[in-house]
Amino acid sequence: MIEYTDPEIQDLIAMPKKIVVRPRKEMKLQNRHYRNDMKLKSSDEQYEFSVFMRKHADFNENFSIGLVFHPHHEPKEYELIRCNGPHGWHFLFEHHEASHIHIANEKNIREGLKENRDAHVTTGYSTYEDGLIFFLRKCNIVNASEYFDLEKQLPLPFEGDA
């Protein structure tokens, strides 16, 4: 298994990417969640990624949008970043009560843990729609405006927001 450093992980998240397999126009309802996916390539076409978008059918605040890296040289894939809404109280995870971001890190990869198990609360978004815009910008998806309305202004993040 390859071990990625924190700067390499941040570079993978921030590098320019383009959508090569577009998302469906409408999310598909499956098992009480609306779902959509798309495939990306880095602008230099060296790296492949996928994006998943999920939103609970009954609880709009329960959503998840994530970027998965698919390295050519190994069978493992890495969930680099995931933006979640406040999906309920959990006695182990205080961040579940607020919008939060999971970002992969080298320590978790090295120790064989879920690469992005750690999370931090964010003020960068509060709804699925805002979270999607935040995510598309954070992941530098250069042709996102061809498929999504990016005109909405998001609140300015507080210091420390990812």
Side-chain angles (χ1 to χ4, degrees), residues 96-138:
H96 280 204
E97 294 186 74
S99 295
H100 56 282
I101 302 172
H102 295 264
I103 297 180
N105 67 60
E106 65 182 284
K107 179 181 179 283
N108 289 342
I109 293 171
R110 186 176 52 252
E111 294 178 4
L113 302 171
K114 174 74 174 148
E115 59 271 11
N116 64 351
R117 70 181 241 159
D118 304 320
H120 68 274
V121 172
T122 183
T123 58
Y125 57 87
S126 59
T127 65
Y128 171 81
E129 291 75 16
D130 290 349
L132 181 60
I133 294 169
F134 177 95
F135 175 87
L136 295 168
R137 290 177 180 164
K138 176 78 176 166

Side-chain angles (χ1 to χ4, degrees), residues 24 27-36 53-64 87 128:
R24 289 184 300 279
M27 295 181 89
K28 179 179 178 182
L29 182 61
Q30 182 181 9
N31 299 326
R32 305 301 308 149
H33 282 86
Y34 288 102
R35 302 170 177 267
N36 211 342
M53 298 162 277
R54 308 286 185 260
K55 181 171 61 168
H56 195 278
D58 299 317
F59 304 104
N60 290 333
E61 69 278 5
N62 185 353
F63 64 85
S64 187
H87 50 88
Y128 171 81

Side-chain angles (χ1 to χ4, degrees), residues 41-72:
K41 280 194 177 186
S42 59
S43 292
D44 64 8
E45 300 197 1
Q46 290 187 20
Y47 301 100
E48 294 182 4
F49 304 86
S50 60
V51 171
F52 61 86
M53 298 162 277
R54 308 286 185 260
K55 181 171 61 168
H56 195 278
D58 299 317
F59 304 104
N60 290 333
E61 69 278 5
N62 185 353
F63 64 85
S64 187
I65 307 162
L67 177 70
V68 179
F69 172 50
H70 304 278
H72 297 294

